[in-house]
Amino acid sequence: MNAYSKTPLLDTIRTPDDLRKLKVEQVRQVADELRQETIDAVSVTGGHFGAGLGVVELTTAIHYVFDTPRDRLIWDVGHQAYPHKILTGRRDRIRTLRTGGGLSGFTKRSESDYDPFGAAHSSTSISAGLGMAVARDLAGGKNNVIAVIGDGAMSAGMAYEAMNNAGAMNSRLIVILNDNDMSIAPPVGAMSAYLSRLYSGKTYRTLRDAAKQINKRLPKILANRANRVEEYSRGFMMDGGTLFEELGFYYVGPIDGHNLDHLLPVLKNVRDMETGPILVHVVTQKGKGYGPAEASADKYHAVVKFDVATGTQAKSKPNAPAYQNVFGQSLVKEAEKDDKIVAITAAMPSGTGVDIFNKAFPDRTFDVGIAEQHAVTFAAGLATEGYKPFCAIYSTFLQRGYDQIVHDVAIQNLPVRFAIDRAGLVGADGATHAGSFDNAYLGCLPNMVIMAAADESDLVHMVATQVAINDRPSALRYPRGEGRGIEMPDVGIPLEIGKGRMIRQGNKIALLSFGTRLAECEKAADELAAHGLSTSIADARFMKPLDTELVLKLARDHDVLITIEEGSVGGFGSHVAQFLTDQGVLDTGLVRFRTMVLPDVFQDHDTPAAMYGRAGLDAKGIVAKVFEALGKDVKTETVKLA
């Protein structure tokens, strides 16, 4: 053992089996060292931070008390699981978090047996845990299943659907509510207020204290009963129940999630209960144990690399505005002219730029919590009354509201405006957060207008275009990160619906881009020109309705036509192909047509540039696709067209 190590006890722990060999009085030291290691690791890697710090004691206690991985431990969302990863055989790789080939920033089944369920979207843990518990019961097993869910995730209906089902089935499932009074945004909704009242109410605390005093005077055999405190305190309470009990859960808590003298005995009692389901209400502090995080409004929810001593984050100055900020600022300008414009977000105000709108128009901003289904239908209701709702949701999260998009918006032809952030590959968050499928899942819907901004200037005009579309739903997609640093318009001017634009005119190769791959198309065209291939570039702007006149012209005037998009198969390229085949254009063999889409795999996390390179959607990949269409070797210096 290194005599100078800051983490001498943690250094002896490879897996939770090692942790469980320690004396109970040593667990506090493990937790303290685990917090130090988490801080040091994330200062190097960046990533989600505050939530992990808040569950250090809880993580240590769970692994000490329960027999993981035989007991199944599910972390809802999974962004708080860095301490869990350190304790479960992954400490030697913890500084590879969110980098190419490194550890995932979320739980991942293929990464470890200690991750029984992969998660990066919220509110799935209770459903998955119930499935595991029922599978155990069917197989005659005896292991525990523990789902740890935060109060931000409790704003989603799926958590209650699962609890309702679990309560009715009476299966032995343990749910730990990690109540840190925070989601990414300030807590919204009655649920957060309810929890706060429940554990801070004077009546409850007084009765609870009385129950504890009575408990001290009871014979030891009674005092050791697992449910002692809760039974007595409930006996004193007038209505005798909570929301969770009404759903069929045995409620334990609230308890201090940083006090191991409370946590360990309660978890042991819960472990040994033979009935279920059980909900343990644990109160924690996000960012606990690191001063700069505790002092920050968002408790350092997610960070880039930072200096441990000061907490200063090493964020480089962007040379161009972030797309989400361009969206927020553009929407504010439009809303200054139109008091019917309202903005809706599902617990991601800063991530979508809706926070900018909220500062200007707080009464016209609605954060509905992690409830995308509700957000979409709520927007539909606003639209029926003549308002102009902008529903700003990441592509990956909008998937969760798909039935509502179809049934409540599209079928009724309501002018809900979907602002789809994080379109395309997103880098360090990986496959769970990639905006890969919205072109495909929205493109098949009647009545939907679908746009993609090629740059930040285009985004300004497209926001204005959405404001003007008042007879049907519309979707506008744009990526994560900064724009190109080009000159920005003072005001947005609505675009002609379904019309693209020519960027560069050539006569041999045509590149038809949908979205921000346009910059890579321009690089590719320069290289193709060096090979003697005159290349046209067009920006489609609209996937639906398609600029059929532009598509036909490109197909008829060039030898090769290639579509490029930041989405899966079934999207823009498929719509162009459908049109060309219906028109018989491809029957003649005069144009060689290809589509470039994301590969038909879930790509692991890396930098966006590396991910697009592997996907073949960078300039190099576009040039290679052109040469492939020509039947030539990309390494050949000169090409003679057939």
Side-chain angles (χ1 to χ4, degrees):
M1 190 189 301
N2 182 353
Y4 299 102
S5 173
K6 295 186 203 173
T7 55
L9 196 52
L10 185 63
D11 294 346
T12 69
I13 297 170
R14 171 71 184 168
T15 70
D17 285 334
D18 300 320
L19 172 66
R20 290 188 280 268
K21 292 173 186 173
L22 299 178
K23 296 176 181 176
V24 68
E25 54 266 27
Q26 294 176 289
V27 177
R28 177 75 258 173
Q29 183 182 339
V30 174
D32 292 342
E33 293 179 9
L34 181 59
R35 176 170 281 108
Q36 183 64 48
E37 175 69 355
T38 301
I39 292 168
D40 287 349
V42 181
S43 74
V44 172
T45 65
H48 291 98
F49 188 47
L53 292 183
V55 296
V56 165
E57 287 84 3
L58 181 60
T59 303
T60 309
I62 289 171
H63 282 299
Y64 186 73
V65 169
F66 290 94
D67 186 23
T68 54
R70 291 157 290 277
D71 285 342
R72 310 292 192 231
L73 172 58
I74 308 158
W75 295 97
D76 206 284
V77 186
H79 67 285
Q80 75 280 51
Y82 299 179
H84 159 80
K85 294 194 178 202
I86 292 169
L87 285 179
T88 54
R90 289 169 275 183
R91 185 184 180 188
D92 59 343
R93 292 181 288 153
I94 200 67
R95 286 162 181 78
T96 70
L97 269 168
R98 296 161 55 87
T99 61
L103 294 179
S104 169
F106 306 95
T107 53
K108 193 172 185 180
R109 278 175 55 82
S110 61
E111 195 176 281
S112 171
D113 289 341
Y114 290 91
D115 293 359
F117 201 76
H121 289 187
S122 93
S123 318
T124 61
S125 61
I126 304 176
S127 299
L130 182 59
M132 292 178 192
V134 169
R136 172 205 62 208
D137 296 343
L138 291 172
K142 295 292 184 185
N143 61 294
N144 292 287
V145 180
I146 309 103
V148 183
I149 184 167
D151 62 339
M154 294 293 281
S155 64
M158 186 172 173
Y160 297 97
E161 293 173 21
M163 283 198 290
N164 182 55
N165 190 200
M169 296 182 72
N170 206 34
S171 190
R172 198 166 54 83
L173 169 70
I174 299 166
V175 175
I176 297 177
L177 171 58
N178 172 36
D179 179 9
N180 56 26
D181 203 34
M182 285 195 65
S183 50
I184 294 169
V188 294
M191 187 62 215
S192 179
Y194 169 78
L195 292 177
S196 298
R197 285 199 305 274
L198 184 68
Y199 70 72
S200 63
K202 185 175 180 182
T203 302
Y204 188 79
R205 281 181 284 142
T206 303
L207 293 174
R208 213 174 153 71
D209 289 340
K212 287 177 182 175
Q213 293 303 315
I214 292 171
N215 182 52
K216 286 178 183 177
R217 291 165 172 75
L218 288 172
K220 190 171 183 181
I221 190 168
L222 291 178
N224 283 339
R225 287 179 58 198
N227 58 3
R228 61 193 186 273
V229 175
E230 282 306 311
E231 281 198 353
Y232 300 135
S233 60
R234 270 198 294 268
F236 283 106
M237 290 181 73
M238 292 179 66
D239 61 3
T242 68
L243 169 66
F244 304 112
E245 290 178 319
E246 295 299 327
L247 287 168
F249 277 73
Y250 186 94
Y251 175 85
V252 177
I255 59 173
D256 181 352
H258 301 297
N259 187 332
L260 287 164
D261 291 336
H262 294 180
L263 268 181
L264 290 169
V266 167
L267 289 180
K268 285 177 183 174
N269 289 340
V270 167
R271 177 195 65 193
D272 297 336
M273 284 183 183
E274 295 183 359
T275 58
I278 305 152
L279 185 133
V280 184
H281 183 177
V282 177
V283 181
T284 63
Q285 180 184 354
K286 194 169 183 175
K288 174 73 173 178
Y290 184 60
E294 291 181 4
S296 169
D298 71 348
K299 308 301 178 189
Y300 279 28
H301 172 76
V303 295
V304 294
K305 298 175 185 179
F306 64 92
D307 178 84
V308 174
T310 64
T312 304
Q313 298 187 49
K315 199 157 193 173
S316 59
K317 292 182 180 178
N319 58 8
Y323 279 100
Q324 67 206 48
N325 294 338
V326 173
F327 167 74
Q329 291 155 5
S330 299
L331 196 59
V332 167
K333 286 186 178 180
E334 296 296 331
E336 287 168 349
K337 300 180 289 184
D338 189 336
D339 63 6
K340 294 293 187 183
I341 292 173
V342 296
I344 300 161
T345 180
M348 302 298 286
S350 59
T352 56
V354 169
D355 60 333
I356 297 170
F357 187 88
N358 182 53
K359 286 173 185 171
F361 301 104
D363 294 339
R364 290 155 63 181
T365 307
F366 304 95
D367 183 347
V368 302
I370 305 175
E372 292 83 5
Q373 294 175 312
H374 164 61
V376 172
T377 305
F378 173 61
L382 279 159
T384 64
E385 296 295 327
Y387 280 82
K388 299 180 179 180
F390 275 77
C391 200
I393 300 177
Y394 292 4
S395 171
T396 180
F397 298 145
L398 190 59
Q399 294 162 186
R400 306 183 70 163
Y402 187 62
D403 177 64
Q404 288 69 27
I405 298 170
V406 178
H407 186 271
D408 300 335
V409 176
I411 287 177
Q412 302 190 96
N413 208 26
L414 292 170
V416 174
R417 289 95 171 152
F418 294 100
I420 305 175
D421 203 323
R422 282 12 179 214
L425 300 176
V426 295
D429 282 336
T432 57
H433 282 57
S436 306
F437 309 114
D438 56 281
N439 286 343
Y441 70 66
L442 295 177
C444 58
L445 301 181
N447 304 329
M448 184 74 67
V449 175
I450 302 173
M451 296 171 270
D455 52 49
E456 63 269 41
S457 172
D458 223 22
L459 179 57
V460 176
H461 297 306
M462 287 184 175
V463 172
T465 306
Q466 281 195 294
V467 173
I469 299 173
N470 212 31
D471 60 349
R472 52 193 148 159
S474 60
L476 163 57
R477 75 187 317 253
Y478 47 94
R480 178 179 187 170
E482 282 86 41
R484 298 178 64 180
I486 63 176
E487 188 175 345
M488 296 285 284
D490 291 330
V491 292
I493 300 170
L495 304 173
E496 184 179 354
I497 304 298
K499 286 297 175 185
R501 56 175 175 162
M502 288 300 299
I503 304 297
R504 188 181 302 186
Q505 188 65 56
N507 55 35
K508 292 292 185 184
I509 311 298
L511 304 177
L512 178 55
S513 174
F514 182 63
T516 56
R517 290 292 94 189
L518 183 64
E520 294 298 310
C521 288
E522 291 174 348
K523 293 177 191 173
D526 291 340
E527 186 173 338
L528 290 168
H531 287 286
L533 294 170
S534 175
T535 302
S536 292
I537 303 172
D539 174 16
R541 277 183 161 162
F542 292 86
M543 172 175 144
K544 195 169 188 177
L546 191 63
D547 189 340
T548 55
E549 184 181 332
L550 175 64
V551 171
L552 279 175
K553 182 170 174 53
L554 293 173
R556 287 170 177 162
D557 293 351
H558 299 80
D559 298 327
V560 174
L561 171 58
I562 296 177
T563 63
I564 302 99
E565 66 189 292
E566 297 153 316
S568 70
V569 65
F572 175 68
S574 297
H575 282 245
V576 174
Q578 179 83 35
F579 171 71
L580 290 174
T581 53
D582 287 349
Q583 294 294 311
V585 174
L586 302 182
D587 299 350
T588 63
L590 294 178
V591 64
R592 303 180 187 192
F593 175 68
R594 301 286 188 275
T595 62
M596 295 187 69
V597 297
L598 292 173
D600 193 27
V601 297
F602 290 106
Q603 284 185 258
D604 282 336
H605 55 279
D606 206 329
T607 64
M611 293 178 75
Y612 278 118
R614 276 202 299 279
L617 288 175
D618 58 0
K620 181 181 177 183
I622 295 167
V623 170
K625 180 65 76 172
V626 170
F627 278 70
E628 176 192 306
L630 292 168
K632 304 294 182 180
D633 186 345
V634 70
K635 295 176 183 176
T636 304
E637 288 300 318
T638 58
V639 176
K640 292 182 180 179
L641 290 172

